[in-house]
């Protein structure tokens, strides 16, 4: 969680259209993947020279430019020039620390959202900014890192799935956002499963470390929620845009995004409630255990108190202490002690103290 | 609760109109029950071959097709073809893990909602997705499991109840949703009664297991609430649809659905508050009990402390210890000890420590 | 509170216009009181035969039919027929367990609300459903129980108070609702006074029973709030209805209802806060008391610990233990013990432990 | 706080235009102060006979009638007749227990709000209802008590301040409400200073009485908040009224009222948070202190336990107990005891128990 | 935090257009910096005589007057006269304790907002009111203190950055507000880093002082939040103003302000959650530690209790006590004691008490 907050390089007073990359460099080389398709044809290439990209810039087919890596300001500026993007869009693209947003510009729609991915190696959640710009025939997506999150969409295009190849960049944008939100739900589910597995440890061995894990998962969920909440607002804003760049038939799919992100948000809330219940169980279990110990031990001590007192009495050295001189005094004393102990146990039992 | 979350098979990147069944297979054979009725006639059959269904597809009478079982993608696709349903509706039907929703399509209205049923055998709440598609003369309902929840509606049709046989599929849809929400209220009531019965155990025998039951019911109520909340949103959206498929006279009934689901939601909240009060009582009772034990035992110990000290004094072996040699020293010591004990008891009583 | 929830006889799948009484029978005989008045005349009778009622059904004067008792479905159905009420209104009247609501029908406005009354004998709050149907010249009120809650309104009519006899049934409906809400405020005030009296017991004698009373009043307030909240919604809906049956001049009074129910709701909230403060005080007082005991007793024990140890030393039977043989050893030992005790007391005092 | 709630004399079923004074009599004699002014002239008198008032009732100048004392129903009725006020306005004026409200009538605007004043003598907050009625040339203000809260406004009129003497009764109403809200802020500030002074006592001497003070201030703030919240709603409603009686230029001032009452409300909330933080500190300090005592004392006891045990061993009377007969046994025993005590202290230190 | 609240000099009953400075004097001399620029020219001077300012008052170029220091009422009044500002604007400027607000006047737009700055020397957050008035060609900014917060904007103007020199005062106002909000985010980040560093101390050495720091940061964050919340409202209101003074192209930037302040608000909330988690950890760690001590020590005591009792038995002086006279009694007793101690340890281990 700290990660996210710390990497904040907030430059005070930078002009809104200055190209200034606020994130960390996450890849070595900026890479550009192009898929150009219509209902009949499909062309797919991967280039590093931006100049080669422009020839795919045709109005007839849908062209999806995917750019991995944002640290090279010059290349992003070049892309802006080639594709005639407004300077404000470019600075939005570079500002990877901003809140998710959707913005309608004259020559296209800009969308940004945080992507989450459970990193398979380090078992931590990676956050990355995704920016999407699209108009009627082109969609440009900017990722911070090379990744294969969008492979399912590419596959669907390759397999010439009816709906995606017949639709425009707006539907493609929906498909990308859909994957991002599916990844939210996946991240929550993974976390959720770990949260549920906590429950066993909680009942068998409630140590301080369980408590720390609960706090840890609580922070992770807060982190997720902090990303989901503005994404929700963004998608709501997206669903309300009425623009020539979004076909009417796409609105039904954006509504579906809304449903999915709501689902993600409700899952998060429900795991938060589970965690807070677990914290509750933890506290009760711990205190029940301490109570048990104290109860047992106190009862134990109390039984010996009068017995030790009696022994003390007969340990005194008075000249005249008649009981000391009877023959069976010692055994009578032991017997009386036993009776006292038993009576006390009965009394405690009756008052349900153990 | 875990059940619901775990069965989540969220496939990332599936196209929205792919037919992909996300639930578990809950019945062996897909079954199709048909009721065809108007104000005068009633025909009721049960078939397994979809082809036989189409002949009931007439615009004059109201026909209700009820399909139990969704795992067979082919059959659902066939139903789609026969009844000319959009592919998006079909994928909505199959996606039994989605949030409740209502969607107006060109050729009908799609509604999905979670059905709850208290399973009489296992004493657990079963969740199941119900999808309803209706237009002006047909209503198709998709259930995951064969069940008799809708028998009361069938009975009303069979008995030729005036309102239901004179109304269209929109009213039939209302009647089905009404039963679903009635089942919500029933489930809450059953749970609520168990919650109220907790109160006795709480006062007579507040063990750790009562605490665990409280947490359990809290989770069950959270689970119910998680289903009721989106259902409420869905019914609100339903009440706002203005469509040729919903007659004006049906709106008053949809408003009633709204009232019922609000009632369910308020019941849930009120049981949640009872549970949180019970948790409060549990904690106080437990701590009161521990306090009682500690108080009693500490007082007990304290009374013996000075007495044992005095016995210790006269257990010392000093050559010159005058008291040891007086004749009644021993009895005087016992008397002094008694007086000390009584005085301490008085003091504790005065300070209201017991 | 349980009372209210338990009497729930929720029949699943009943048609909305089936006449089915969901409450308990609360009176033996259905009784019908009629007041017929205009600015000049007043007639007031009490009948049991519904047929006699119809002759008062004139458009010129305002007629108020008050029916006590709803268990006899036939009589309610008769009333429906005589007064040409829609079947949906009748089933609303019978459904005494439903949420408060207001519904505009073609031939009148239907209002239902829960009435509360502090029962003078049993000191418990009685809940009862009140349904009101009115059009331009008639108001019919349905109560579950014979009662005199509406006597003040009858008195005002009898005394020919200017505003009430010059207004129509809409103003009469306001007057009835006004009394219902006044009773809410009265119930809260009674409860509130008891809550405030708790405070004394809390400070003088904070036993477990005070805690149970606090929980009890909390539940009672929750119960009240559960009735007030939907009533508030209902009155808000009422204030928004634009109907021929509600004169413009009545709207100012409905706004006043709104103010009153808001006042009731704020009173409830304020008592809830007082209760939660009291719970806070209870917990601190209890724990302060326990702390006092433990502190005192532990200090007491600790002073004797080294003293008893010293006595133990001189109780040993070593052949060579020089102190035993000095003449004043015993008195020196006693003196040393006293000094130790006093020093410890000083130390504890200095550290402010008592 | 109780004060406010207890004085509630809620009469059930009173007609809305009955003149019925619900408060307590707070002054002996009803007093009427009149200020009549326009941009050039100023006349200021104080009368007790209402008949004398009417002659100031001219349309050209602005006339402010201020009435102190409401218990005399007849006089208020007279005022109503003289100034041609609707009977509903009069009953609003008398109903000093009602929620703050603003109501547009045909012949004027009615405003009521609670006035707070820190009583300099008794150090308690006095609550009083202020009602204001104004039309285009007259403003009548009704106070329950004679007071000088409005002196600053009178002073500004006397000094012929440009804005107030050039404006109508609407601006005068704003000026009065402004003073009322300024008094809210003043009351909160006074309370707030006391709350902040609590902090010292909290750190130096956290006794039960500090806790009770915190609860007390919490209730006082709740009381303030209960008055501010409906006042906020009222001023919001006031700012939305579009009436001939409110000049457009006055709207900017009403917006300022809104800002001020929001400021008051935020101050209240911020002091509530401070109080809840203080409660938190109180609990931790108290429990830290108890922990210290218990920790110290338990450690102390534990060190003596094995020592006393050893002394006990050598206090036994066995015939054959070799150690008793060695010459330096006693001193060796004392030495061993010292070593044990020191080792235990080291161990506790190492585990950071003190 | 107290600082802010205490400096409140709320004068009751002051007329809204009285010039009355409510803050503290924060600079010695009122200073006036002027930047006059258009897309080609730039003039920058610093004066103390207001009369010199007016000549820059031209409609062609954008002129930014920045005034540091507000305590001299006369100078502010002069500025008002020279620039033909309404008296209400001037009193708004002087009222530095008011809530942030935006107000559209006939001859310009008035904005006020609190500026925060982390003071590098004293390590405390300074609060200061910033007022901005602008029309189509002039922007006047009023600060309470001389400072260099706006240097980045001046730099951008000096460097003739395209967007800022081509835009009007509305864009300049945006740029200033942007810096204010950037400072909010910076302050939160600084605080946030300190909060995160708390975590280490929390785990290694959770003393009372950590607790006090947590409370301190909580209050600091509350203080920040109290400033951010009304700023958020103000910017929302600003974004909704439709005025001739705000160009359409500026709206996109105001929306960005909205995003930034939302980001600040979410950061605050997220640190508040971290703090409340830390408080949770603190309490558990503390209580875990106490539990450990009590558990260890109680177990320790309990083992010695029966041993001391046995020694006491054989310390009695009975004439007839057979065990005392056997040769190996003493060693058998020691052996039995050892066995008892070991058995008890096993038992405690088995019950997982240590």
């Amino acid at each position: 969680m700290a990660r996210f907050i710390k990497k904040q390089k907030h430059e005070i007073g930078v002009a809104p259209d200055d190209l200034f990359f606020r994130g960390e460099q996450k890849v070595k080389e900026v890479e550009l993947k192009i898929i150009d398709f219509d209902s009949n044809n499909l062309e797919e290439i991967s280039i590093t020279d931006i100049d080669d990209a422009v020839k795919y810039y045709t109005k007839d087919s849908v062209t999806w430019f995917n750019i991995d890596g944002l640290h090279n300001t010059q290349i992003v500026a070049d892309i802006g020039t080639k594709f005639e993007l407004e300077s404000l869009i470019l600075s939005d693209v570079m500002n990877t620390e901003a809140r998710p947003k959707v913005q309608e510009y004259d020559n296209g729609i800009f969308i940004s959202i945080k992507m989450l991915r459970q990193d398979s190696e380090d078992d931590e959640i990676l956050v990355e900014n995704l920016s999407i710009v699209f108009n009627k025939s082109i969609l440009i997506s900017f990722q911070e890192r090379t990744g294969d999150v969008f492979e399912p969409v590419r596959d669907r295009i390759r397999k010439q799935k009816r709906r995606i190849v017949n639709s425009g960049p707006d539907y493609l944008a929906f498909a990308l956002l859909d994957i991002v939100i599916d990844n939210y739900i996946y991240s929550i589910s993974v976390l959720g499963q770990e949260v549920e597995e906590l429950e066993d440890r909680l009942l068998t061995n409630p140590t301080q470390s369980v408590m720390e894990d609960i706090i840890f998962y609580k922070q992770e969920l807060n982190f997720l929620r902090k990303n989901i909440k503005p994404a929700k607002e963004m998608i709501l804003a997206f669903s309300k845009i009425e623009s020539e760049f979004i076909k009417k038939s796409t609105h039904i799919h954006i509504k579906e995004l809304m449903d999915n992100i709501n689902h993600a948000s409700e899952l998060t809330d429900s795991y938060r409630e589970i965690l807070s219940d677990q914290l509750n169980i933890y506290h009760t279990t711990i205190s029940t255990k301490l109570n048990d110990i104290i109860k047992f031990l106190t009862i134990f001590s109390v039984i010996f108190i009068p017995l030790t007192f009696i022994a003390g009495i007969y340990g005194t050295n008075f000249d005249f202490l008649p009981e000391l001189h009877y023959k069976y005094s010692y055994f009578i004393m032991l017997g009386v002690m036993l009776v006292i102990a038993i009576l006390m146990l009965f009394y405690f039992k009756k008052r349900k103290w153990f």
Side-chain angles (χ1 to χ4, degrees), chain A residues 213-227:
Chain A
D213 282 3
I214 291 176
I215 299 284
F216 172 75
Y217 288 123
K218 211 161 154 257
Q219 287 180 342
E220 291 276 304
L221 277 171
N222 282 352
F223 175 66
L224 283 173
R225 199 178 53 151
K226 217 174 66 186
N227 283 288

Side-chain angles (χ1 to χ4, degrees), chain A residues 15-27:
Chain A
D17 55 355
D18 268 9
L19 284 191
F20 178 82
F21 179 55
R22 295 170 188 239
E24 297 166 18
Q25 177 172 345
K26 283 166 190 153
V27 291

